Amino acid sequence: MKLKLMRNTPILILLFVFFLLGACKERKTEEVYYRLWYDEPAEAWTEALPIGNGRIGAMVFGGVETDRIQFNEETLWTGAPRDYNREGAADYLEEIRALLFAGKQDEAEALAGEHFMGKMSNEDEYPQQLATWLTKVKGDESLIYASPDFDDSDWGVMTFPNIQGWESIGFEGLDGTVWLRFTFDLPEDWKDKDLVLNLGRIRDTDITYFNGNFINSEDNKNAHRRYKVSAADTGLGKNVVAIQVLNFYDKGGLVGFKTGEPMVIYPVGEEMENGIPLDVEWKYFIQNSQVPQYPKYQESYQPFGDLWLEFEGQEHIENYTRELDIENAMARTSYESEGVRYTREYFVSAPDQALVLHLASSVPGKLNFKASLTSLHRDFEIRKVDDRVIMLLAKVEDGALHGVSYLRCESPEGYISVIGDILTVANTNEATLYLTAATNYRNYNDVSGKPEVKAMDALNQIEVGAYDKVKATHIEDYQKHYNTFDIDLGENRLDSLTTDQRIVTFNETQDPSLVGLYVQYGRYLLISSSRQGTRPANLQGIWNEELTPPWDSKYTCNINLEMNYWPAEPLNLSVMHEPLFELIEEVAERGAKTAKIHYGANGWVLHHNTDLWRGTAPINNPNHGIWVTGGAWLCHHLWEHYEFTLDTTFLREKAYPLMAGAAEFFIDFLVEDPTTGYLVSGPSNSPENGGLVMAPAMDHQIVRELFRNCLDAAQILGITDDLTRQIEETLPKVAPDQIGQYGQLQEWLADKDDPENHHRHVSHLWAVYPGEEINVKTPELMDAAIKSLEFRGDEGTGWSLAWKLNLWSRFREGNHAWKMVNTLLSPAWVERSGRGGSYANLFDAHPPFQIDGNFGASAGILEMIVQSQNDKIVLLPALPDALGNGKIKGVKARGGYELNIEWLNHELEKLSIYSVSNGKCMIEYEGISREIPMRAGESYLLDPQLNWVINK
């Protein structure tokens, strides 16, 4: 594959790039056309191209002989409606606080872990179920598989180690007990020597045998297995290592050493380099895959299925192109074979609620293919509906949800049939496939839906032969959102390079157009994953191919979910914010019960994660799962939406009631610090850093802003009541930010920051961005925040880099912000020690893929160009040297403004502002500030000195 070749030939690509740059110097500027494109099919999922309509998402691989379109439906998750709260948790609250105030963190975390965390699914039944299952699979009859005389010739083969488990090599969804066998000949000079069996980590439990003799067993999945084998158990000739692996949930098998040691067997006291490698093929046999349902705090987003297209006779391929046209929300594949041009168009229509695939050949009768559906879900079914339609039925194991998908084929001239479970199309030059999908999910408390009816209704509403109409309607619907904003950061001189090549060369070339593409790609992803009436974008948007995806592909609320929506308002996609607002309403309902049961408090609370079922209780581990400001941070988005739109109906009917409920919780929750007398938050944590504590700075920053926003909203709405009076009384008592011994902004009320801590989270800088409490008007705190960010360093995961990009932009350090852009746009498929970057399809790499970095960086790039916090619009506040020229149309600003901006040679050239209300707009550029009177519904042109030119 060329991608693999490319990874080894960056110098050749650079030489080609410099040739292009020289050749393009005299080219006139043309309108920028944004697309991702490649000259070969995708092999990895992170090379495939994403399409979606907010509810159905798909990844297009664009294969020639075999094309895979992996698809999702946003409501297919594990789990079922249930109560996530642990009754009696509040009884331990004061004791936990007392331990933390006394400096006894370990004891506090142990107590919280036992009595305060939320309740897991299947928690009560699991111990007995597991004991029964273990008795069954560990029975004596299974020991035959450990015998050196056992014939394993008909067993399958797995290659180890696999750090992501056997799931990563094609055994997705495999949990249970699996026997592994490795046979080797003992060297003569090893005779009568004890051996070391260096296996590394095994997920989750192993029972290991050597020549049928028990060697050792370990049930700590993180333990490195280094077993000693007695010489008495060995013999010249054939020897057999047999391992019964018991995998209870996710990432099974031999996953290797974290230390980088090899898997190997060697004599005691000798060098392991001279041993026999074990990172080879092992024979395997699945003994039992009916493992009891593993208890989980929250649930996982699921893949739905795969659409496969098989083509025969596709040889001597020429002029292959695969692209994602983000201006029309459409993927395309095209190539030539034996003088015939083949093309495919793929999109997911929001108006017609269907995945659409149109295939064509330039010569009549040359288009022939077979289409089929599969799913990773166990016991899925494929049924024939009629001679043009097949259906897929998939059920989530141990869950309440099931789904139905229909695939219909149309071809005006060709032959279509269904044989078994395969659609066959022959002797045509044009065909269209429509795929619909639905589940029985109705809301987080109701799974009584009828997916077969919903999916069939969507299919039946698409008229036969209406492809051109469906396509036109799709483009019109998409562009009404996409065309509200435009960005041009320079000539698209390197578009003749494939997108993956542009990523490889970005740090060594001047390619500002790739940055413009990245911004518009972020907008494309948000439109494609978050539409009115859908669920909000999760950790992977709506795209996921794994049954156990990273972090369950759910909604992590201590940065990631919020970052998904940072671009919604400024990048003129305000309507895409609505699914998040619906989630906030739902978690507020669930969170009111959590507030009572866990804290004895009024109002509502959300901890650091939620899922489809809107769990709000603390999860996982007290050292990061007890974090109380998830709901308060989400309320920041409600206020932001008001600030950008000035929609008082939204403020009155939706935003303020939710904000007030969150504020009520903190009125009850905050407690006096015995040392300082301040009101502090706790038990809580500074997200994922430092464990369970009292008084993390981030909590206080979020709470102060929530209180201030509530007071501002109440004033706008004319509300004065007991709550507003309580907020006014409480706000001044909340612990303020502190500057520590190193000149840093303290992460906790106690001055205990470590300057050498390069943690990915920068939580205590929340008040800089996305908050606005720390700003140029608070220079001492601003300097301290800069010092803290310098301590954290410039490396990080994808989303961490995106946050740092926004922070350096708020610090008005444009070239430092640009360093973050450079790292974000570096190839993630090159070994980089966990550093963030971009995959070949421009998906953000944590790694692995998380979509938050795409959204956060899109917002951060804009933040370099225009900012509007603290009641002032600031133009080009952090413009880097690399972006000397550009223009943006349709950027939104707080206060109900829309701006068009052009700059040339790093200086403002043109500015127009549209206002939705009467009032005065404060604008700043290069130290010049002007207050411009404006009338609702009018646009104003200003010169570079911010003088009024004309209104229109």
Side-chain angles (χ1 to χ4, degrees), residues 909-913 932 934 939-952:
E909 185 80 2
K910 296 179 182 178
L911 171 67
S912 69
I913 306 178
I932 311 295
M934 292 192 171
S939 294
Y940 297 79
L941 298 180
L942 303 179
D943 66 19
Q945 289 73 45
L946 304 184
N947 295 310
W948 180 83
V949 178
I950 191 172
N951 67 303
K952 58 180 182 178

Side-chain angles (χ1 to χ4, degrees), residues 681-860:
S681 173
S684 190
N685 69 82
S686 188
E688 302 180 32
N689 185 33
L692 190 64
V693 296
M694 299 297 298
M698 182 195 211
D699 281 13
H700 303 149
Q701 294 171 359
I702 293 174
V703 170
R704 288 195 301 269
E705 180 143 324
L706 172 66
F707 283 173
R708 283 194 297 269
N709 292 344
C710 281
L711 293 177
D712 289 346
Q715 183 177 19
I716 293 167
L717 299 174
I719 296 172
T720 301
D721 56 18
D722 288 343
L723 178 61
T724 58
R725 286 186 285 270
Q726 287 178 307
I727 293 174
E728 289 172 342
E729 179 182 338
T730 305
L731 177 57
K733 300 177 183 179
V734 178
D737 287 313
Q738 305 286 324
I739 299 175
Q741 58 186 314
Y742 304 107
Q744 88 285 5
L745 190 70
Q746 291 179 196
E747 190 162 357
W748 302 273
L749 188 58
D751 188 0
K752 57 181 182 179
D753 296 71
D754 177 4
E756 300 302 317
N757 183 352
H758 305 304
H759 200 276
R760 62 195 177 278
H761 281 267
V762 286
S763 306
H764 52 311
L765 305 187
W766 191 94
V768 179
Y769 187 96
E772 57 186 55
E773 184 181 32
I774 297 177
N775 53 67
V776 293
K777 295 180 181 179
T778 59
E780 292 184 355
L781 291 174
M782 198 75 154
D783 289 344
I786 291 173
K787 181 69 70 175
S788 288
L789 191 54
E790 289 173 343
F791 287 159
R792 282 294 204 257
D794 291 337
E795 295 295 331
T797 58
W799 62 260
S800 178
L801 294 168
W803 198 350
K804 291 174 181 178
L805 164 59
N806 281 277
L807 288 166
W808 284 116
S809 297
R810 284 281 171 98
F811 293 144
R812 302 192 181 182
E813 296 282 352
N815 287 333
H816 206 143
W818 186 253
K819 289 177 66 177
M820 303 299 102
V821 176
N822 271 328
T823 308
L824 281 158
L825 281 171
S826 51
W829 59 89
V830 176
E831 181 58 44
R832 294 143 49 86
S833 301
R835 180 187 183 202
S838 294
Y839 291 107
N841 64 0
L842 270 183
F843 269 174
D844 171 67
H846 178 283
F849 162 55
Q850 281 188 199
I851 205 168
D852 39 29
N854 288 102
F855 295 135
S858 297

Side-chain angles (χ1 to χ4, degrees), residues 198 226 261-262 264-267 270-277:
N198 215 43
R226 299 180 179 91
E261 289 180 47
V264 64
I265 185 168
Y266 63 98
E270 298 186 17
E271 297 296 325
M272 68 173 64
E273 288 79 6
N274 298 323
I276 295 175

Side-chain angles (χ1 to χ4, degrees), residues 222-474:
N222 295 314
H224 291 108
R225 277 71 164 179
R226 299 180 179 91
Y227 295 156
K228 181 179 178 181
V229 180
S230 171
D233 293 328
T234 70
L236 291 177
K238 186 179 79 168
N239 288 254
V240 176
V241 180
I243 306 173
Q244 186 183 28
V245 177
L246 297 110
N247 177 230
F248 308 119
Y249 176 74
D250 194 20
K251 295 184 177 66
L254 313 184
V255 299
F257 286 92
K258 282 187 176 181
T259 59
E261 289 180 47
M263 289 173 52
V264 64
I265 185 168
Y266 63 98
V268 172
E270 298 186 17
E271 297 296 325
M272 68 173 64
E273 288 79 6
N274 298 323
I276 295 175
L278 299 175
D279 51 353
V280 292
E281 290 184 344
W282 289 63
K283 291 296 191 73
Y284 80 90
F285 169 69
I286 301 172
Q287 178 190 356
N288 186 303
S289 60
Q290 302 298 321
V291 63
Q293 180 188 353
Y294 192 77
K296 295 180 64 179
Y297 283 106
Q298 289 188 359
E299 301 301 334
S300 302
Y301 182 49
Q302 296 289 282
F304 198 114
D306 290 272
L307 167 59
W308 300 91
L309 304 178
E310 302 289 341
F311 303 87
E312 294 183 0
Q314 306 286 296
E315 299 175 351
H316 309 295
I317 303 303
E318 296 179 317
N319 300 320
Y320 177 93
T321 301
R322 175 172 61 97
E323 72 168 5
L324 178 64
D325 171 4
I326 64 172
E327 297 187 3
N328 294 293
M330 185 171 298
R332 300 185 185 91
T333 298
S334 62
Y335 57 89
E336 295 176 7
S337 176
E338 303 293 344
V340 180
R341 186 72 179 169
Y342 294 93
T343 60
R344 303 173 207 155
E345 293 182 328
Y346 322 70
F347 60 89
V348 186
S349 167
D352 287 296
Q353 286 297 305
L355 167 63
V356 183
L357 172 53
H358 186 71
L359 306 92
S361 65
S362 60
V363 176
K366 290 295 184 178
L367 180 62
N368 302 275
F369 66 92
K370 294 179 180 180
S372 60
L373 296 171
T374 63
S375 179
L376 290 175
H377 296 283
R378 187 178 298 178
D379 300 328
F380 72 89
E381 293 183 54
I382 305 295
R383 298 177 186 172
K384 174 181 176 179
V385 177
D386 58 37
D387 288 337
R388 294 172 180 263
V389 180
I390 59 175
M391 68 183 297
L392 163 67
L393 298 92
K395 184 183 186 308
V396 177
E397 191 170 8
D398 297 322
L401 294 175
H402 64 276
V404 172
S405 177
Y406 292 102
L407 178 66
R408 185 177 86 195
C409 183
E410 297 178 3
S411 180
E413 305 294 335
Y415 169 80
I416 304 173
S417 66
V418 175
I419 302 174
D421 54 7
I422 296 176
L423 267 167
T424 298
V425 182
N427 304 324
T428 187
N429 67 326
E430 184 179 3
T432 305
L433 296 172
Y434 297 101
L435 183 145
T436 61
T439 78
N440 57 312
Y441 177 89
R442 298 187 67 185
N443 59 56
Y444 67 85
N445 274 325
D446 187 348
V447 292
S448 65
K450 300 185 183 308
E452 63 281 358
V453 175
K454 184 176 180 179
M456 182 56 77
D457 284 348
L459 195 64
N460 287 338
Q461 288 173 11
I462 300 173
E463 299 175 14
V464 174
Y467 173 71
D468 290 339
K469 177 182 177 182
V470 170
K471 176 180 174 181
T473 302
H474 158 72

